[in-house]
Amino acid sequence: MIFGILLAILLIIESVFLRVLKLNKRIPKDILLKIHCALGFSISALACIHFAFVLSLWKQRPLFMNITGCVMFAFIIIIGILNIGKKNKLKLTIHKILALSTFVFLGAHIFSGISSLSAYQSAVRNMSIDNIDITTISDGVYEGESDVGYIYAKVKVTVLDGKITAIDIIEHRNERGSKAESITDNIISHQSLDVDTITSATNSSKVIKKAVENALKIESK
């Protein structure tokens, strides 16, 4: 995320900074061109780094956010390619159109990111986890999942003689919540979902606990 924020800041600086410099007639055009090229190279490099880092988070982000990000990345790369070799009127025209379009998609991308983050935080905040009487669960292996957008967990819960004997995490998509996976040991040792979340991984802990609940709650009814 940090690279995305830096990229957005650099795009805004590049646009505003150059517009201000252009109004200053005392600055030679060749100086402006060098500054523009340096900023453009930095933007392209940051865009590539950001794209490489967020690829693994593709499934955790809304489709609209992914689409706007990919289109914006493509525009930045094309602009970079257009700067290679001799400049002509057609290249400059395409450059201007793509540059303007990049800012439009940047705004849409940021809006989608803020909206999805707000929805994710609300989903976690409002998540309720009901404790289940494990002794009422028939022997078997049960699967459950929980998805709040930025975090997803799918688990397999094994019950034998009225006790949870194993909780296997089939899939856990998260950014920095891998420590939360130890919550399964706490659930097994206490034979209850009413256990404290893992410090520094509270959201992931809640999602994993919800996945365990979802695996067992149908059988418990």
Side-chain angles (χ1 to χ4, degrees), residues 135-172:
T135 61
T136 64
I137 307 295
S138 303
D139 292 353
V141 178
Y142 306 96
E143 288 189 4
E145 59 184 355
S146 179
D147 189 359
V148 292
Y150 280 54
I151 301 174
Y152 168 83
K154 185 175 183 180
V155 300
K156 182 169 65 175
V157 184
T158 303
V159 176
L160 182 63
D161 296 330
K163 292 183 178 181
I164 297 176
T165 58
I167 300 175
D168 299 313
I169 296 178
I170 301 172
E171 187 175 359
H172 181 204

Side-chain angles (χ1 to χ4, degrees), residues 53-96:
F53 270 92
V54 299
L55 269 179
S56 61
L57 304 175
W58 181 270
K59 292 182 180 180
Q60 295 167 244
R61 299 294 184 265
L63 180 61
F64 183 71
M65 186 177 180
N66 288 333
I67 291 174
T68 53
C70 287
V71 172
M72 186 171 62
F73 175 69
F75 285 169
I76 291 173
I77 296 303
I78 293 172
I79 290 172
I81 293 173
L82 289 174
N83 286 330
I84 299 174
K86 293 183 178 180
K87 308 292 187 296
N88 55 50
K89 199 169 184 178
L90 178 60
K91 278 188 174 183
L92 290 174
T93 300
I94 296 175
H95 182 116
K96 290 179 181 179

Side-chain angles (χ1 to χ4, degrees), residues 14-181:
E14 197 263 1
S15 176
V16 175
F17 183 63
L18 285 179
R19 295 298 177 276
V20 172
L21 289 181
K22 282 183 178 180
L23 294 176
N24 191 334
K25 302 299 183 180
R26 291 175 296 180
I27 301 176
K29 286 186 176 181
D30 60 327
I31 299 297
L32 286 176
L33 183 60
K34 288 180 179 179
I35 295 173
H36 182 59
C37 289
L39 287 172
F41 176 80
S42 300
I43 288 170
S44 298
L46 264 179
C48 291
I49 294 171
H50 177 61
F51 189 76
F53 270 92
V54 299
L55 269 179
S56 61
L57 304 175
W58 181 270
K59 292 182 180 180
Q60 295 167 244
R61 299 294 184 265
L63 180 61
F64 183 71
M65 186 177 180
N66 288 333
I67 291 174
T68 53
C70 287
V71 172
M72 186 171 62
F73 175 69
F75 285 169
I76 291 173
I77 296 303
I78 293 172
I79 290 172
I81 293 173
L82 289 174
N83 286 330
I84 299 174
K86 293 183 178 180
K87 308 292 187 296
N88 55 50
K89 199 169 184 178
L90 178 60
K91 278 188 174 183
L92 290 174
T93 300
I94 296 175
H95 182 116
K96 290 179 181 179
I97 293 173
L98 290 181
L100 179 60
S101 300
T102 297
F103 278 95
V104 173
F105 277 89
L106 174 63
H109 188 67
I110 292 174
F111 174 78
S112 178
I114 293 173
S115 299
S116 63
L117 181 60
S118 176
Y120 151 72
Q121 291 173 335
S122 177
V124 174
R125 185 170 55 250
N126 297 323
M127 180 182 291
S128 61
I129 300 172
D130 299 324
N131 201 14
I132 294 176
D133 185 357
I134 309 300
T135 61
T136 64
I137 307 295
S138 303
D139 292 353
V141 178
Y142 306 96
E143 288 189 4
E145 59 184 355
S146 179
D147 189 359
V148 292
Y150 280 54
I151 301 174
Y152 168 83
K154 185 175 183 180
V155 300
K156 182 169 65 175
V157 184
T158 303
V159 176
L160 182 63
D161 296 330
K163 292 183 178 181
I164 297 176
T165 58
I167 300 175
D168 299 313
I169 296 178
I170 301 172
E171 187 175 359
H172 181 204
R173 295 199 299 265
N174 65 88
E175 293 187 39
R176 295 180 298 275
S178 58
K179 291 181 180 179
E181 296 182 2

